[in-house]
Amino acid sequence: MPAVVRGGRRANVASAPKRSAGPKGQGGRSRNAPRNPGGVPGKMAALGKLDLSPRAVVLSICAGVGVLALVLATGARAERIGQSVTHGMDQITTGMGLKLRRVRITGASAEATPAIQRALNVEAGQPITGLDLDSLQASVEAVGWVKEARVVRLLPDTLIVEVKEHDRLAVWQTGGRVFVIDGEGRAIPGADAGRYPGLPLVVGAGADKAAGDILPLLAQRPRLMGRVDALVRVDERRWDLRLKDGGIIQLPAMKQEAALIQLDALDQRERLLELGLARIDLRTEGQVAVRPRAGV
């Protein structure tokens, strides 16, 4: 049958066949209707529609560069704004009475306290909430006297500095100079040896590092320690104990505690330390050699 033209458009005389209704539960979809090819979800399909053309990429890069330039251009201004805000907050806190009035330092000796105060470098009246406690702690621990420190802010107006100093083990004499050393043999910067006449005197190269081993052994023997004038390191291997009466006790390089135990036993039986001997030689294990003074 010839086609009939209606309204300028060509239409087939025969009507299109009606779609058959699908079975219930399939939303009217024809049994032969094509499904989403490849099973691509709707969101993933939408991503595929993004404009990733070279023109779009170039525009995105230019926009990023513009934002970065804007940030760099206003950076100094942003910094000034931040400083103004900080200054304003400081004024508010000081107006509330939160300003530094006193600093309490505990655990520090009279000799170390001035150096700790200089390291803190704080002034009365400054905002206490603006203090950097970690920085203050680091400054205090940089002082030679200080082994460790703790800085606490006690509102409204007090800064507390708790200090633990290096222990003073001995005075070390070497090369014509004297130092106060701690238990690890380290010289304590700023410590005046003249202020510690009660500390043992150790002399010679290597005496600083070896003092931590011998001095505790002597401290257990107050009768002997009370007679020692100085401990002299010999060849960086062993000790000579110089007695106040001029005598010398020669200790071995090894097993020095065993030698001191042997000396204890002899002193208890023979009162050896009271005989005024010129030399007591303990360098040979299991033996004690003595030398009396000349003319005795």
Side-chain angles (χ1 to χ4, degrees):
M1 177 182 291
V4 179
V5 178
R6 294 179 182 176
R9 300 186 66 179
R10 187 177 181 182
N12 196 343
V13 174
S15 59
K18 296 182 179 180
R19 294 181 180 180
S20 59
K24 293 182 178 180
Q26 295 185 0
R29 177 185 295 173
S30 172
R31 186 174 298 176
N32 298 324
R35 299 178 179 270
N36 189 3
V40 180
K43 292 183 179 180
M44 295 300 294
L47 287 176
K49 298 178 182 179
L50 292 176
D51 184 6
L52 297 179
S53 63
R55 180 174 177 273
V57 172
V58 171
L59 289 175
S60 299
I61 294 175
C62 291
V65 171
V67 171
L68 178 61
L70 180 62
V71 171
L72 293 177
T74 60
R77 182 181 178 186
E79 182 179 356
R80 289 194 298 270
I81 293 173
Q83 291 175 350
S84 299
V85 172
T86 301
H87 180 67
M89 291 301 297
D90 288 346
Q91 289 181 331
I92 293 174
T93 55
T94 53
M96 297 171 60
L98 300 177
K99 53 186 176 181
L100 183 64
R101 295 185 184 276
R102 58 183 65 87
V103 177
R104 295 178 182 172
I105 300 175
T106 63
S109 64
E111 190 175 11
T113 298
I116 295 172
Q117 290 173 334
R118 289 192 298 270
L120 287 171
N121 193 28
V122 293
E123 298 179 357
Q126 69 182 100
I128 192 170
T129 56
L131 297 177
D132 186 340
L133 301 186
D134 292 336
S135 177
L136 291 176
Q137 177 180 335
S139 298
V140 172
E141 290 181 342
V143 176
W145 293 97
V146 179
K147 184 175 184 179
E148 57 186 50
R150 180 170 174 261
V151 181
V152 178
R153 180 169 35 220
L154 183 61
L155 297 179
D157 58 8
T158 304
L159 188 70
I160 299 177
V161 183
E162 299 174 355
V163 171
K164 182 179 179 181
E165 295 187 14
H166 291 282
D167 57 319
R168 280 75 154 167
L169 178 68
V171 173
W172 173 40
Q173 177 180 319
T174 182
R177 303 176 64 190
V178 290
F179 306 90
V180 179
I181 60 174
D182 64 12
E184 298 179 2
R186 294 178 298 190
I188 302 175
D192 181 6
R195 296 173 64 98
Y196 300 95
L199 289 179
L201 175 64
V202 296
V203 182
D208 53 335
K209 302 302 181 185
D213 294 329
I214 186 64
L215 287 176
L217 298 179
L218 294 179
Q220 299 171 11
R221 298 165 172 83
R223 176 175 165 81
L224 172 59
M225 189 63 182
R227 296 174 180 272
V228 174
D229 185 52
L231 293 82
V232 180
R233 194 68 175 164
V234 180
D235 298 330
E236 298 190 40
R237 295 180 58 252
R238 63 173 196 84
W239 293 101
D240 276 354
L241 308 183
R242 299 286 181 91
L243 304 181
K244 295 176 181 178
D245 63 4
I248 298 175
I249 299 175
Q250 296 175 298
L251 294 179
M254 305 292 292
K255 299 182 179 180
Q256 54 191 10
E257 185 174 12
L260 290 172
I261 291 173
Q262 187 177 19
L263 179 62
D264 288 341
L266 282 172
D267 187 47
Q268 290 177 6
R269 293 198 312 264
E270 309 292 342
R271 313 299 291 181
L272 195 64
L273 296 177
E274 298 178 5
L275 298 179
L277 298 171
R279 191 177 302 270
I280 302 175
D281 189 348
L282 303 171
R283 291 177 293 175
T284 303
E285 185 177 357
Q287 297 182 16
V288 178
V290 299
R291 180 185 301 175
R293 294 181 185 277
V296 177

